[in-house]
Amino acid sequence: MAGRIPDQFIDELLARTDLTDVVASRISLKKTGQNYSALCPFHNEKSPSFSLNPNKQFYYCFGCGAGGNAISFVMEHDHLDFVDAIELLAKDAGMEVPRDQGAPDRYEQNAELLKRLSESSQFYQEQLTQHPDKKKATDYLAKDRGLSGQIAKIFGLGFAPPGWDNLLKRIGTRAESQEQLFHGGMLIEKKDQPGHYYDRFRDRIIFPIRDSRGRVIAFGGRAFGDEKPKYLNSPETPVFQKSQELYGLFEAKQNTPILDQIIVVEGYMDVIVLAQHGITNAVATLGTSVNSQHIRKLFKLVSKVVLCFDGDKAGRAAAVRGLEAALPVMQDEKQIRFLFLPEGEDPDSLVRKEGKEAFNNRLADASSLSHALFEHARSQVTLGDEEGEAQFTRNAMGLIQQIPKELTFRSVLIRQLSEQSGIDSETLSNTNIKTRHHSNSAHSDHTSSANTSMDASYNHSAPDLSHYEMAPSFDEYDDYQPTDSHIEYSSPQKNSFKKPFKKGKFQKDEPALPPAPPSLNRLAKASLCLLLHPHIAKEIDIPDPIVNKAEGHLQLLCKVWRYFQKHPSRNVGHFLVDLSDPDMSAAILKLLNHKDAPIQLKLPHPQQEVIDVIAKLEKNLGMESLKNGASDSINTEQEKQDWRNRIEQIRRKKS
């Protein structure tokens, strides 16, 4: 049953989970005094800066600032969301996750359907090694596509043999199973015989499509020759909405040690071949353009997304759609970059030709979003005079206005446009450009495809590359053993299998993605600066009137400042160890894990961030007026005496 996980259970889970065991099962720990140290798994380093305190059950990296408890470690290391991390730790501890009363989610409602899809994936993998016609499939993968047996195993590739009812006979032995397979898109109902079915996927290479937790939710099938469609996708079902999923995302999370950026490419083979060459962080859309849902989903995992396109006209058009999708969901400290490949090449062919290093060099040189935005705005201008410049400015401003107003990035783009156009930034900011709305939402993708056949090719423009170098021996596939995602499915207490899925219903039932997490306020940033740069505490003075009035976030700032004033040679690790307040510890760990932390860590003058905040607080408290001899804000004798006492405290402290 879906619903909120009770706080009491989370506390009990942490009490029964040994952080040392959790971390040691994933990285190598070394005992150093009372603590453990290790090379940090969250950034590249040569000397250990990762420290684990088994008594307080927390970890902290002095290099990158990562820190937290067992839950946060599993989330960060295994690339899981909060609920998934809880479920994983609970399973290891032999505990069942309780839920507050609530409606079951779509996966729980369709647990049996997911089980049939998992069994289907296992069946197709078995056929790749056991079917009498397997040589046709393994030759295609090994000789034509140059894929190894190992990479086929990682992505769960399979073979749908020729014939109308292979899957039906194996998995759909009962009427209930047939109904589930039908609603999962695996079977097609015969037009002239209602209630009778045949296999959707026949005589094709099969690509399982997994969700972010590794559950098989759909399939793609590739024809061997010129059959139409070349690529066949599962239709949309209660558990599969193609405009919200990304092929290879689960595999990228599982196989990329430090997942700091993701490359979005166009096809299954691009993802798989890049992974075979060591570039494991690629994903592909499933027959739709890159949309805002995709980008927001990726921003929850990484800070940088590279959209990779062919260098032809179609690739440029796709890039424009990607640009329009990115603008409304941009976040400060997040990056979108655009990589255009040479004409006639795609990631599959190019990485074979140039190798991993050259391809990574291309990724490093990818164009920024600002460059793509201004280039697109300029490309729509045909006049080379003042009128053309005016139209360019309007085009660019129309795009910039799609970026959330509160972002610093938007202000930066307006400043750049001001430099290019000669119009001051304030005028540009106050200009409202009415533009044609470019919908890139999941809903528009769903609507635009509603009138097309679900059996249509998922990528009409995908090149048919029929030969590659580096083809492994066919014998590699003799040792290939089918694998599943090792996800256990629990059936609901009652049979809750849903009635046939109707177009549009899923979209209304599916909750919208949450808004992007906000940036830290200035007070929190100041606290973070002191935590990350404790040496600056000695350069800063916080007046006693501020310290005495400190509550909430200000109290945290003052406590951090006082500690490092008293212990100038210590660091945040010592501070966390010495803290006795669990709420304060939790607040500090939350700060250290915030998305703004890397920015604050790299500030050239972090002390200025704190000084500016203190100055602002002084002004708000009326201390500026007192320092200048003014007393208009003091109305009673008691208030005057209070301020005299505070000023005397400041004088004594500074003397």
Side-chain angles (χ1 to χ4, degrees), residues 476-518:
E476 284 196 56
Y477 284 87
D478 292 339
D479 296 327
Y480 171 82
Q481 294 297 322
T483 61
D484 205 353
S485 54
H486 305 293
I487 301 294
E488 295 184 3
Y489 302 95
S490 57
S491 302
Q493 293 180 350
K494 295 181 180 180
N495 183 5
S496 58
F497 185 79
K498 292 298 181 184
K499 295 296 182 183
F501 178 70
K502 297 180 180 179
K503 293 180 181 178
K505 184 176 185 298
F506 177 95
Q507 188 63 34
K508 287 187 287 185
D509 292 344
E510 183 68 9
L513 285 172

Side-chain angles (χ1 to χ4, degrees), residues 428-635:
L428 289 172
S429 298
N430 294 331
T431 302
N432 184 26
I433 307 294
K434 292 184 179 180
T435 59
R436 180 175 61 87
H437 177 66
H438 301 285
S439 177
N440 247 298
S441 67
H443 177 71
S444 65
D445 283 325
H446 176 74
T447 304
S448 64
S449 62
N451 295 325
T452 61
S453 169
M454 290 295 185
D455 292 347
S457 167
Y458 95 103
N459 186 353
H460 295 285
S461 60
D464 183 11
L465 303 171
S466 58
H467 61 280
Y468 296 97
E469 298 175 359
M470 303 170 56
S473 166
F474 162 69
D475 294 337
E476 284 196 56
Y477 284 87
D478 292 339
D479 296 327
Y480 171 82
Q481 294 297 322
T483 61
D484 205 353
S485 54
H486 305 293
I487 301 294
E488 295 184 3
Y489 302 95
S490 57
S491 302
Q493 293 180 350
K494 295 181 180 180
N495 183 5
S496 58
F497 185 79
K498 292 298 181 184
K499 295 296 182 183
F501 178 70
K502 297 180 180 179
K503 293 180 181 178
K505 184 176 185 298
F506 177 95
Q507 188 63 34
K508 287 187 287 185
D509 292 344
E510 183 68 9
L513 285 172
S519 296
L520 294 174
N521 59 39
R522 294 195 66 186
L523 192 59
K525 285 182 178 179
S527 300
L528 188 54
C529 278
L530 281 173
L531 290 166
L532 298 174
H533 309 275
H535 65 279
I536 68 174
K538 65 180 182 294
E539 305 173 23
I540 296 163
D541 184 36
I542 302 181
D544 281 356
I546 292 178
V547 175
N548 294 339
K549 292 177 71 68
E551 295 179 356
H553 288 298
L554 181 56
Q555 185 181 27
L556 187 150
L557 172 67
C558 294
K559 192 174 186 70
V560 175
W561 171 75
R562 275 179 165 173
Y563 181 86
F564 290 125
Q565 277 260 317
K566 186 177 180 180
H567 307 289
S569 62
R570 296 187 182 181
N571 56 41
V572 70
H574 298 114
F575 181 48
L576 285 168
V577 170
D578 291 344
L579 265 180
S580 57
D581 184 349
D583 292 334
M584 185 74 74
S585 297
I588 288 172
L589 289 172
K590 186 175 181 180
L591 272 180
L592 293 170
N593 282 296
H594 195 275
K595 64 183 181 67
D596 287 346
I599 303 299
Q600 303 304 111
L601 185 63
K602 297 177 183 178
L603 287 177
H605 304 291
Q607 67 273 22
Q608 194 60 46
E609 181 93 40
V610 186
I611 291 170
D612 290 346
V613 169
I614 301 305
K616 179 83 169 176
L617 289 169
E618 289 179 336
K619 185 175 181 180
N620 291 343
L621 288 173
M623 294 175 65
E624 288 290 332
S625 299
L626 284 172
K627 291 177 184 177
N628 295 326
S631 58
D632 294 342
S633 62
I634 301 177
N635 300 316

